[in-house]
Amino acid sequence: MSAANGGQKTQRVTITLGVLGLAALVALLWWQRSGSSSDGAGAAGRGADAGATGGEVVGARQASSEGAAPRPSIAALAPSRSASAGVPVQPLAGAQQVREALEQYQTFSQFPPWSRPADGSQTHLWKWNSPAPSGQAFATDAKGNKISGELQLDKMFAGPGDSITATVTLWRGGYEDATREPADATVLGYVEVWRDAQPTPAADGSVNPAPIRGIPGVGPPPGSEGFFPIATVSFASVAGGPGHKYVATFTPSTIEALKTQVETRFVASVDPDGHPFPFTESFRYAASAPLVVLDQHSDAIVKGSLEVTVAVDVKRLGPVMVQATLFDATGATAIATYDDYYRPTQLGPQELKITFFGKAIGDKRVDGPYSVRALHGFVHTADADPPEVFWESKATFATGAYKATDFSDREWDSPEKTDKINQYKRMLTSIESK
């Protein structure tokens, strides 16, 4: 999840600092953070979902320990509306850098941050639950030849009753080798959860740490902080190459220790020569659905954009991240994306509106009917760890037979956009007047 993206919720097009050449401008516009922090749920979602694209979800602790950081984006670099209240800023960038930033922002803001044209930078929104394999050369055989392997999960999120299939592939040779001669090993699987350090008992025994039900001999020692195994998963050797494949399946929602939301990962311990090596992949799950998408839906052109109204049943109250993609009728061509929060005020059945921006549809020049697919997201809750409980709908919603020319070709306009452009211009004027 992803899904879903939190980390890119206020803007959906990720770019590198090299594109803008704006390392100095990041410091110049540091106060953007203060503008975002007023939205507690949004900030938490952004922090949790940074790097969550393409099916990769990393818990806050793990991201911190691995030095992970959110990828910079134009929206993150742009000054916030709250900054226009008169926060003094010392110019740290040259006029040309500010001018480039303004041009980049004006290009970006042709479309709103919550609905963008579907392109290569947006594939994480409709392929959110398709994680990439992780692997490497990890051992050598008796002759000194490399042994390589990789772990592939068929999905990174499993809803209630959904299973995850883990496939380990082993071969002799380097990881990038085109040919994969099968290699044998003992493969064991573990589902692990993060546990904070347990309190240490006092000399008089007045503190009794909670017991950690792990796998003997696996994981950190009791009382320490880290990932602890809570279930074993059996692998079976299967026929078919390339390489030697071992497959295991597990259902997170049926594991007793996962009845509440905790940070999880799957570990495949691979032992070809008496020295086991762990391949790990993070995954997310929901023991119960925080939001259920119902069958009823409708659609209409509203203010030049396509508005799709979907019936949902909110099971857990909190800010709901909603991500969806508009395709052609066949699902072969992605047209536009939606990526924004819905904020219900009560539990139960209600209507959720998803708006695909008109210019994003019209620019594709693809006529309807369209189909809404890859509808998913999470509910931000304070009593979960991580605090995002994922949800998804596997349904496809068909729309009316609209023409691409039925939609507005106007660029996005808003007070926020005007404020940011004016701030850039004021910064440019201030620098050039010195």
Side-chain angles (χ1 to χ4, degrees):
M1 116 145 28
S2 270
N5 310 229
Q8 56 268 22
K9 304 317 175 203
T10 56
Q11 133 5 70
R12 320 308 173 217
V13 178
T14 300
I15 60 173
T16 64
L17 287 176
V19 174
L20 293 178
L22 296 177
L25 191 59
V26 176
L28 176 66
L29 302 177
W30 63 270
W31 72 89
Q32 167 70 9
R33 301 179 194 170
S34 63
S36 300
S37 63
S38 62
D39 182 352
R46 286 187 292 272
D49 207 36
T53 63
E56 295 177 348
V57 178
V58 181
R61 300 185 189 87
Q62 187 176 0
S64 175
S65 65
E66 295 177 358
R71 290 169 292 183
S73 58
I74 296 177
L77 294 173
S80 66
R81 293 184 64 187
S82 61
S84 63
V87 178
V89 178
Q90 296 299 320
L92 302 178
Q96 183 58 31
Q97 290 175 305
V98 176
R99 192 175 293 109
E100 290 175 1
L102 173 58
E103 292 174 357
Q104 291 283 352
Y105 179 72
Q106 288 175 317
T107 298
F108 166 80
S109 62
Q110 293 181 63
F111 307 93
W114 41 265
S115 181
R116 312 290 302 173
D119 56 29
S121 67
Q122 304 294 314
T123 55
H124 61 276
L125 292 178
W126 61 87
K127 294 183 179 180
W128 69 281
N129 206 13
S130 301
S134 63
Q136 66 181 76
F138 68 97
T140 56
D141 61 18
K143 297 180 179 180
N145 299 315
K146 290 181 179 180
I147 299 176
S148 297
E150 67 180 18
L151 169 64
Q152 169 81 71
L153 302 184
D154 71 327
K155 59 177 69 74
M156 76 86 194
F157 167 72
D162 290 343
S163 295
I164 295 177
T165 296
T167 301
V168 170
T169 305
L170 303 176
W171 65 95
R172 299 185 187 280
Y175 186 71
E176 303 297 337
D177 288 357
T179 59
R180 295 185 171 186
E181 177 189 349
D184 299 333
T186 299
V187 183
L188 303 174
Y190 302 97
V191 175
E192 296 188 339
V193 301
W194 178 272
R195 298 276 177 86
D196 291 325
Q198 299 294 321
T200 301
D204 61 0
S206 58
V207 176
N208 294 314
I212 298 176
R213 297 181 176 86
I215 312 300
V218 179
S224 65
E225 178 181 86
F227 280 99
F228 290 83
I230 49 86
T232 57
V233 181
S234 298
F235 275 88
S237 175
V238 298
H244 189 165
K245 295 186 181 299
Y246 297 83
V247 176
T249 299
F250 63 100
T251 305
S253 61
T254 63
I255 299 175
E256 184 62 32
L258 302 186
K259 293 302 182 183
T260 57
Q261 188 78 14
V262 291
E263 186 176 346
T264 54
R265 70 179 186 180
F266 182 81
V267 179
S269 176
V270 181
D271 185 358
D273 56 3
H275 300 86
F277 182 90
F279 289 89
T280 65
E281 283 286 351
S282 297
F283 69 91
R284 298 294 282 268
Y285 69 95
S288 60
L291 179 144
V292 176
V293 177
L294 306 177
D295 292 336
Q296 299 89 341
H297 76 282
S298 61
D299 54 87
I301 295 179
V302 178
K303 297 181 180 180
S305 296
L306 178 60
E307 184 177 273
V308 180
T309 302
V310 180
V312 298
D313 187 359
V314 176
K315 303 290 189 179
R316 298 187 67 170
L317 198 60
V320 180
M321 172 48 57
V322 181
Q323 297 175 316
T325 302
L326 187 71
F327 283 81
D328 66 347
T330 67
T333 302
I335 296 171
T337 62
Y338 177 84
D339 189 7
D340 204 4
Y341 276 100
Y342 167 63
R343 302 180 184 277
T345 57
Q346 63 184 17
L347 297 174
Q350 51 202 279
E351 291 185 341
L352 184 158
K353 295 186 183 298
I354 300 172
T355 301
F356 296 100
F357 190 62
K359 180 175 172 58
I361 301 173
D363 284 0
K364 288 284 186 175
R365 299 180 181 178
V366 176
D367 293 336
Y370 306 109
S371 58
V372 179
R373 301 167 184 258
L375 181 57
H376 66 282
F378 59 80
V379 176
H380 189 279
T381 60
D383 59 349
D385 184 19
E388 298 85 26
V389 183
F390 279 41
W391 61 270
E392 70 170 332
S393 172
K394 298 175 182 177
T396 296
F397 297 110
T399 75
Y402 306 104
K403 298 291 186 182
T405 53
D406 292 340
F407 299 96
S408 173
D409 61 357
R410 289 186 177 183
E411 294 185 5
W412 178 56
D413 191 20
S414 73
E416 176 186 8
K417 175 180 176 179
T418 300
D419 285 352
K420 290 179 180 179
I421 289 175
N422 287 339
Q423 273 201 315
Y424 277 120
K425 291 180 177 179
R426 287 195 297 270
M427 285 189 287
L428 188 59
T429 300
S430 176
I431 293 172
E432 292 179 334
S433 65
K434 291 185 179 181

